[in-house]
Amino acid sequence: MNSLSPTSNFIKELNEIKIQNSDILQRALCSIKICSNLLSFYKKKILVKKFQTIQEEIEFFKKTKQIPLIQLIYFSEIRSFEIQFPKADKSEQLKFIKKKISQLNQFFLFNLDFGRYVDSGATHFDKEYYTREYLGKCHITTSNFYFQDPDFCTPRDMLLGKYKAYDSLVTYLDKKKYIIKNNLNETHAIIKAKIHWPFNNTNCVELLYALYVKGLGRENNMTIIKVSEHLQQVFDITPKDIYKTYQDIKNRKNSRTLFLDELSTGIISEMNKSEE
């Protein structure tokens, strides 16, 4: 199913849209369009070319499909939020943001067990969560998507997309709140715009510690917190519970460096393709 992964072109298009559209609503609209197109492309492909193994199917629904799905959910939520966002009255704007963050926190609390499963890197329920065989056997009680296409959905692939998209959405809302509280105008916000972090908090902490122990902190006489602060100047994410998350990473049952492994596998795969 490697032919099903035009990931590089998709990410390139997303970045071009970001550069070309300073207006968040226009950016969201264009991003939603290319996300939907890629998902449609994937669906047509898997209907024609069947998965050869269960692991191949898991890989697709757990990783490949998630790339456009997470962005689709993220930008759909942003578009909905910005359309309804109060145009005036600072207190009303902050109240609106607070309400939205509260709703997201309720989602994370309601799906606490699933979140721990995802963040820990566990795989023992992957067959039940990310294969279509179990779609009718696992009741979907944690999603607003009441109908899911049996040919293109699994019991938890949509929930996984929401979990990761909402994690990025919290960061977006925190930044929005900061801009309003500090009376920053749109021009200043654009100048200070950071690179979108499309991954979760655990992945960020894993990368953070990798950079730190490699020598980034020692060579510059910085603590892990200082290294984190510098990373935040580049990416739009504020790592949460750094020390606790690091302990969770150490306690993983399988690979401790799950995110770094994926980065390594991704670039090696890209190198191999370029040599074919």
Side-chain angles (χ1 to χ4, degrees), residues 15 22 45 80 112 115 127 145 166 174 182 185 191 265:
N15 288 331
S22 58
K45 283 290 184 180
S80 175
L112 186 62
K127 183 178 179 181
F145 298 88
Y166 285 3
D174 282 339
N182 291 276
N185 57 40
I191 293 174
T265 301

Side-chain angles (χ1 to χ4, degrees), residues 173-186:
L173 295 173
D174 282 339
K175 181 179 179 182
K176 184 92 174 177
K177 182 169 61 176
Y178 175 82
I179 291 172
I180 294 171
K181 280 187 173 181
N182 291 276
N183 297 313
L184 302 178
N185 57 40
E186 290 298 322

